[in-house]
Amino acid sequence: MPGRRGRRWDGAVRCCVVSCCESCRGRGRPLVSSPGPGGAVSELRGPEDHTWNWTFLSKGRGSDVISVIKQFQVCLASVGANMNVGTAHSEVNPNTRVMNSRGIWLSYVLGIGLLHVVLLSIPFFSVPVVWTLTNIIHNMSMYIFLHTVKGTPFETPDQGKARLLTHWEQMDYGVQFTASRKFLTIMPIVLYFLTSFYTKYDRIHFIINTISLMSVLIPKLPQLHGVRIFGINKY
Amino acid sequence: MCQKNGISNGSFYKQPFTEHFEQAPLYVAVFTYVGFTVGTIFGYLKDFLRACGIQKCPFAIEREEQKDFVPLYQDFENFYTRNLYIRIRDNWNRPICSVPGPQFDLMERVTDDNNWTFRFTGRTIKNVINMGSYNYLGFAETDANALKTVADDLQKYGTGVCSTRQEMGNLDKHIELENLVAQFLGVEDALVFGMGFATNSMNIPALVGRGCLILSDELNHTSLVLGARLSGATIRVFKHNNMQSLEKLLRDAIVYGQPRNHRAWRKILILVEGIYSMEGSIVRLPEVVALKKKYKAYLYLDEAHSIGAVGPTGRGVVEYFGMDPDDVDVLMGTFTKSFGAAGGYIAGRKELMDFLRTHSHSSVYATSMCPPVAEQIVRAMKCVMGLDGTTKGLQRVQQLRKNTRYFRQRLHEMGFIIYGNDDSPVVPLLLYIPGKIAAFARCMLEKNIGVVVVGFPATPITESRARFCVSAAHTREMLDTVLNALDELGDFLQLKYSRNSKSSRPELYDKTSFELED
């Protein structure tokens, strides 16, 4: 469909399989797959000393039998271990829809409010310190849960396409600038404004809060989708 | 979205089409997330304690000498299973020791180590009311008289066929069954397969391929999704039962053509199901057929849950809406749910069936249906059609319809949130909060009722539910037992979230005169 990038079902259903060069192969690095040519949003760049060969395998007739067997195994394996009783699996990765669900934005704001109230009730923290702490704890939690933890806490029927993607990269299957992404980008900024106000723009607090804000805003840039700096957190 | 006044696109429907998908109040969604957050925090805590060694680790872990190698599995993918599912695992896969009819016998099992292992106490819980089996017409029975022909065929043909339809596996039983299925549905010809899942996944690739477009409903079953992916066609998903979304996709497909070269699509196939088993909704067939005719697409209707279960004589959604079976290009269904057997069928025009006989993966490579199962389907179908000389089949269909209506109406009155169409025998009752999933199933078992509960990730995160399958074999007393138990449990667990419930017993004021009290 014109104008849409990275929608999973758009374009022909083809698998791109990235095959490592020979030196990687011996070390058992996992094969990484990314969506088809309709919008290759998750480019995982290899480490600087290896080159990655992109091999496009289209689902021709010859690979049908093998893919059938593999898909059956995946389906049968996923049926036994969890609650998937006769379920609809059009949604291959439910993680992508969690942030769009009803009431989650409200719960998120209430969660920040609860954190703030708990910190305020500690007697020896002054109000500026409490606001800075709220900001720091919120940004650290956001960094850990959205930009560090990778994969899904359950097995997905798509054979692990999202295993190396953080939750931020999985959201809406990689489509940028959706409503939830905008919300989660704006929340730390709003919190930063409030914190700056309540700390009366003190220099030390400002430095700490700004560094914290940068740490949580930079990973959200679309240019950094799938990027792992210095190979940190790649696998 | 509550019940609508009047019918949209009213000229298509000969009877009212009412579906309910009420949303719970917002605080329920907030509590659901609180529940999952608490579960996640405790999950991380337990993982930490197990890693430290403070708690014993009952599942498989790597051996010491393997720790330097790259791990074979990612343990985060198992997080949900070991920390949330295992804790309430005793509500699924319960072993039974009788036929899963309207009631069954359950083997009692207890756990000593928080659901990591179970042991049987040796006792059986008798006559648990079965609200979970897909037994719509009640053919899951062990009546020796009724199954006499099946037993005879078992003696005559043996258990397995051990060959494909094209080689030596085409028995007279299969031909008889296919003719009967075609007669039942009112089409020219039918084809039967040994496995219902494989019917979808093996036949869709034979029908469409590269350069074709598949428009599939959001909530289609895995078998349809698998068949669509295996075919190599382009797949676009439209919102569940939403005809505006489908029309928009059709228009865009015809106007813009294929994505790169803008040529016309070779074929456009619309994949829908008759009844969606997780939502209990019925497809808007008249509108889909009107769209299909307008834009010249093909329609593939999967009646896994609706064949035998809806329609005045049990012939599925096509009869339910009073439509012509020739309007649907490919009618597919399974025998698992309403006929008490196994396997699936595809029905339609004779040329299409002859094409599938030679080109479908199932006909060419898979073993054909085994004869005793075919005979069970033949006898069940003859019973439903009335060809055995009695009206027992029709009575079953009507009993199912009465049971469905009664059950749904009472649940609505009680104030539960129920999804789906008023005529669908699949009744999802929304629980929302993850803690209530286990509580509901365990409390119902204590009251001797077996239910199926599902949660995330099988359903959206806020919509965990219990799914009831009404059967023709349920008597009014059984349904009343279940409804009374649900009433009590609904008050105890606070499940009555509906804000639209209508009571059939308005409050009666028994005072004949009213006086102002000072």
Side-chain angles (χ1 to χ4, degrees):
Chain A
M1 218 178 277
R4 289 276 187 100
R5 289 185 291 140
R7 286 290 295 176
R8 183 173 183 80
W9 296 110
D10 265 27
V13 175
R14 270 180 249 168
C15 278
C16 297
V17 174
V18 175
S19 59
C20 306
C21 61
E22 276 61 38
S23 50
C24 275
R25 215 185 286 272
R27 284 181 227 166
R29 295 271 170 87
L31 290 176
V32 168
S33 58
S34 59
V41 232
S42 66
E43 311 162 337
L44 276 174
R45 299 192 199 129
E48 287 72 52
D49 50 340
H50 300 293
T51 53
W52 294 77
N53 301 321
W54 291 79
T55 316
F56 289 82
L57 282 177
S58 41
K59 279 208 199 298
R61 287 282 150 208
S63 58
D64 258 353
V65 178
I66 304 167
S67 52
V68 163
I69 297 172
K70 277 199 202 139
Q71 298 273 25
F72 260 8
Q73 282 173 349
V74 166
C75 286
L76 291 171
S78 67
V79 159
N82 45 22
M83 287 198 249
N84 290 351
V85 267
T87 58
H89 272 289
S90 251
E91 193 64 74
V92 281
N93 188 359
N95 243 1
T96 56
R97 297 274 167 243
V98 164
M99 285 295 167
N100 299 335
S101 318
R102 188 165 171 258
I104 197 158
W105 293 7
L106 176 66
S107 311
Y108 184 81
V109 173
L110 288 177
I112 297 178
L114 181 69
L115 168 70
H116 189 64
V117 164
V118 163
L119 284 174
L120 273 176
S121 53
I122 300 176
F124 40 84
F125 284 150
S126 67
V127 172
V129 169
V130 165
W131 274 101
T132 304
L133 271 179
T134 309
N135 194 27
I136 293 176
I137 293 177
H138 165 260
N139 289 348
M140 261 180 19
S141 316
M142 182 182 254
Y143 186 79
I144 290 175
F145 286 110
L146 285 187
H147 300 291
T148 312
V149 172
K150 299 195 298 291
T152 52
F154 35 77
E155 283 178 20
T156 49
D158 63 351
Q159 295 169 336
K161 290 214 168 87
R163 249 178 227 151
L164 296 175
L165 298 178
T166 61
H167 191 254
W168 178 258
E169 288 158 1
Q170 284 175 39
M171 268 171 61
D172 295 316
Y173 294 109
V175 175
Q176 299 295 330
F177 308 120
T178 58
S180 311
R181 285 182 186 239
K182 288 182 202 163
F183 173 74
L184 288 171
T185 312
I186 291 173
M187 280 308 298
I189 298 175
V190 167
L191 202 56
Y192 177 73
F193 283 153
L194 288 170
T195 307
S196 305
F197 174 72
Y198 280 104
T199 59
K200 300 184 175 50
Y201 308 103
D202 177 70
R203 179 171 301 190
I204 313 270
H205 285 268
F206 166 75
I207 294 174
I208 299 175
N209 286 325
T210 311
I211 295 176
S212 178
L213 178 72
M214 286 300 119
S215 82
V216 99
L217 278 190
I218 290 177
K220 295 191 162 63
L221 291 171
Q223 287 73 19
L224 284 171
H225 184 104
V227 169
R228 305 278 186 261
I229 304 177
F230 300 128
I232 299 173
N233 204 21
K234 190 161 19 145
Y235 296 117
Chain B
M1 188 180 80
C2 322
Q3 191 174 348
K4 294 184 201 159
N5 283 330
I7 314 160
S8 60
N9 269 336
S11 57
F12 286 115
Y13 295 93
K14 302 186 177 72
Q15 62 204 12
F17 185 87
T18 43
E19 287 198 333
H20 311 263
F21 292 101
E22 190 188 338
Q23 281 190 330
L26 200 53
Y27 71 85
V28 177
V30 174
F31 282 141
T32 312
Y33 296 121
V34 169
F36 277 111
T37 309
V38 169
T40 311
I41 293 174
F42 273 94
Y44 277 119
L45 180 67
K46 296 252 340 203
D47 276 348
F48 172 69
L49 291 176
R50 279 190 279 253
C52 278
I54 300 175
Q55 278 225 326
K56 253 190 343 193
C57 201
F59 46 81
I61 47 175
E62 278 180 315
R63 298 201 305 263
E64 275 306 318
E65 52 267 21
Q66 285 177 324
K67 288 219 162 109
D68 289 330
F69 287 84
V70 175
L72 279 174
Y73 299 100
Q74 216 194 28
D75 56 358
F76 186 57
E77 255 186 357
N78 203 16
F79 182 88
Y80 186 82
T81 307
R82 69 171 179 270
N83 289 320
L84 276 83
Y85 173 70
I86 297 260
R87 296 171 72 130
I88 50 176
R89 187 164 79 111
D90 57 309
N91 299 311
W92 289 278
N93 302 324
R94 294 181 179 141
I96 67 173
C97 47
S98 73
V99 71
Q103 290 176 327
F104 55 68
D105 300 335
L106 204 60
M107 293 175 72
E108 198 186 9
R109 61 181 182 172
V110 294
T111 174
D112 301 315
D113 48 359
N114 289 328
N115 287 344
W116 285 100
T117 55
F118 292 108
R119 79 187 150 80
F120 295 110
T121 57
R123 282 190 292 268
T124 331
I125 309 176
K126 293 234 175 262
N127 289 338
V128 177
I129 299 182
N130 183 6
M131 295 305 293
S133 288
Y134 299 136
N135 187 16
Y136 300 132
L137 291 178
F139 281 114
E141 57 197 1
T142 49
D143 183 17
N145 280 341
L147 293 176
K148 187 168 183 324
T149 49
V150 180
D152 289 341
D153 273 359
L154 182 59
Q155 290 290 346
K156 180 170 157 201
Y157 288 98
T159 48
V161 179
C162 310
S163 178
T164 68
R165 289 297 294 274
Q166 282 194 353
E167 290 179 11
M168 292 184 294
N170 195 24
L171 307 175
D172 54 351
K173 207 79 213 154
H174 298 123
I175 303 187
E176 180 192 345
L177 177 58
E178 283 175 0
N179 290 339
L180 193 63
V181 169
Q183 188 189 346
F184 180 68
L185 295 168
V187 288
E188 289 179 12
D189 201 1
L191 199 54
V192 300
F193 304 96
M195 210 177 133
F197 188 105
T199 309
N200 274 330
S201 52
M202 302 290 115
N203 285 306
I204 297 179
L207 294 171
V208 289
R210 206 89 64 82
C212 302
L213 176 66
I214 291 183
L215 298 175
S216 143
D217 190 289
E218 213 176 11
L219 296 179
N220 271 339
H221 189 253
T222 317
S223 55
L224 289 165
V225 172
L226 180 56
R229 288 167 75 176
L230 282 174
S231 67
T234 309
I235 308 173
R236 299 206 176 136
V237 176
F238 62 93
K239 295 200 178 39
H240 177 61
N241 236 2
N242 188 331
M243 295 300 115
Q244 286 78 26
S245 173
L246 176 58
E247 179 158 21
K248 180 176 191 310
L249 283 182
L250 276 166
R251 290 178 81 96
D252 284 345
I254 293 178
V255 166
Y256 293 111
Q258 301 190 25
R260 294 281 184 75
N261 47 17
H262 294 293
R263 291 195 198 144
W265 293 102
R266 280 175 40 215
K267 263 179 267 197
I268 301 183
L269 183 67
I270 305 174
L271 291 183
V272 287
E273 287 189 39
I275 291 185
Y276 293 89
S277 65
M278 257 314 140
E279 305 283 306
S281 51
I282 299 186
V283 67
R284 293 175 187 271
L285 195 61
E287 294 179 54
V288 175
V289 167
L291 279 175
K292 157 194 114 90
K293 286 183 179 161
K294 178 175 173 187
Y295 293 103
K296 298 201 174 43
Y298 296 107
L299 180 59
Y300 185 106
L301 178 66
D302 176 348
E303 290 203 84
H305 286 269
S306 54
I307 190 72
V310 288
T313 56
R315 268 132 165 107
V317 278
V318 172
E319 196 196 18
Y320 175 72
F321 288 111
M323 304 186 63
D324 188 9
D326 291 333
D327 285 337
V328 181
D329 301 292
V330 190
L331 283 157
M332 177 267 170
T334 60
F335 302 114
T336 329
K337 280 90 185 179
S338 300
F339 298 102
Y345 68 85
I346 286 209
R349 295 174 52 210
K350 189 157 184 358
E351 294 120 2
L352 180 63
M353 294 304 117
D354 287 337
F355 174 81
L356 282 178
R357 277 196 181 100
T358 44
H359 287 84
S360 154
H361 188 110
S362 243
S363 316
V364 180
Y365 296 113
T367 50
S368 43
M369 188 184 272
C370 66
V373 172
E375 175 54 35
Q376 157 73 4
I377 304 169
V378 164
R379 80 141 189 118
M381 217 172 244
K382 280 189 177 163
C383 180
V384 172
M385 288 164 78
L387 293 177
D388 59 345
T390 66
T391 54
K392 279 200 213 142
L394 197 57
Q395 279 170 6
R396 284 181 195 248
V397 175
Q398 285 171 347
Q399 182 67 31
L400 174 66
R401 191 160 184 174
K402 277 191 264 192
N403 283 353
T404 307
R405 286 267 171 163
Y406 177 66
F407 196 67
R408 276 182 171 268
Q409 185 198 348
R410 283 286 303 273
L411 283 176
H412 270 300
E413 284 167 17
M414 283 186 205
F416 290 101
I417 293 188
I418 310 284
Y419 274 6
N421 195 301
D422 279 339
D423 284 320
S424 123
V426 180
V427 186
L429 190 153
L430 274 280
L431 300 171
Y432 296 106
I433 297 174
K436 296 192 183 176
I437 301 175
F440 185 80
R442 286 174 187 156
C443 288
M444 289 297 268
L445 186 59
E446 274 169 30
K447 298 186 199 284
N448 243 17
I449 301 169
V451 296
V452 168
V453 288
V454 253
F456 185 72
T459 60
I461 189 168
T462 38
E463 292 171 16
S464 321
R465 59 197 74 174
R467 186 182 60 183
F468 297 102
C469 294
V470 183
S471 161
H474 284 135
T475 59
R476 187 55 82 96
E477 289 78 35
M478 283 186 219
L479 287 183
D480 281 335
T481 317
V482 174
L483 286 163
N484 291 336
L486 281 174
D487 206 358
E488 277 179 51
L489 208 52
D491 288 325
F492 176 63
L493 286 177
Q494 303 230 353
L495 289 170
K496 298 188 180 177
Y497 295 118
S498 175
R499 292 171 283 189
N500 302 337
S501 62
K502 47 190 186 339
S503 172
S504 72
R505 288 184 295 268
E507 283 177 44
L508 295 169
Y509 291 95
D510 52 0
K511 286 186 185 173
T512 49
S513 66
F514 293 90
E515 281 169 359
L516 290 173
E517 273 126 21
D518 295 322

